Amino acid sequence: MAPTRIYVKPLLRLIADLPVHGLSHITGGGLVENIPRVLPDGLEVVLERKAWRRGTVFDWLQREGQVADAEMYRVFNCGIGMTVHLAPGNADRAVGILRDMGQEALVIGEVRTGTRGVVIA
C-alpha cells in the first residue's frame, strides 16, 4: 500500500466549499485520542471498521506484536490519515471534491449523541 499524503490545498478547497465542523489529523494518539479533540461535549463518533481498507502493515504489527484491537486504534492510524467532520448531507459532495483533487476519500462513520469518544464497530 502506498502512503497516503494529505495536502493542504484539497482541505482548503473543501473548507471553502462546505461547512466543515472539524478536522482530525490522525497521528500519535491514533483514532481514539485524536478525533475526540474536535468534538463538543455530548457527541461521539462511530467508525465502521469495514468501511476502510487497513494496510497489511497494521495486520503484521498487530500479529507480530500481539497488540489488542483497542491498543491498535489508540496508537496507530490504522490507515486513516485525516478525518473530516461535516453534516451527513454534505458527505457525498465532500468525497467528490477530495477525489477530484486526487485524494482518497470515503465515508467511514458518523457523529451521534454520546460521551465524546470514538466507538469502532
Side-chain angles (χ1 to χ4, degrees):
M1 176 172 122
T4 301
R5 294 187 286 194
I6 302 296
Y7 294 100
V8 173
K9 192 179 267 189
L11 293 174
L12 291 175
R13 161 86 190 281
L14 186 65
I15 292 167
D17 287 1
L18 294 172
V20 172
H21 301 286
L23 298 168
S24 298
H25 186 211
I26 312 302
T27 58
L31 292 163
V32 298
E33 290 183 10
N34 286 298
I35 293 172
R37 293 180 184 143
V38 301
L39 296 175
D41 289 336
L43 295 178
E44 67 186 12
V45 168
V46 178
L47 298 178
E48 179 60 45
R49 175 55 203 97
K50 292 181 182 181
W52 78 91
R53 182 177 49 101
R54 187 169 98 162
T56 56
V57 67
F58 297 108
D59 296 332
W60 179 85
L61 281 169
Q62 186 170 21
R63 183 180 61 252
E64 294 300 315
Q66 299 176 7
V67 180
D69 286 342
E71 186 69 359
M72 288 296 295
Y73 296 127
R74 190 189 69 75
V75 175
F76 301 104
N77 70 19
C78 294
I80 303 298
M82 174 78 69
T83 61
V84 178
H85 310 258
L86 42 77
N90 290 325
D92 288 340
R93 186 161 174 228
V95 167
I97 290 168
L98 292 170
R99 285 182 179 168
D100 286 348
M101 296 195 73
Q103 298 299 299
E104 182 179 349
L106 51 123
V107 176
I108 62 169
E110 65 181 3
V111 178
R112 69 179 184 195
T113 301
T115 59
R116 200 169 179 254
V118 174
V119 176
I120 300 176

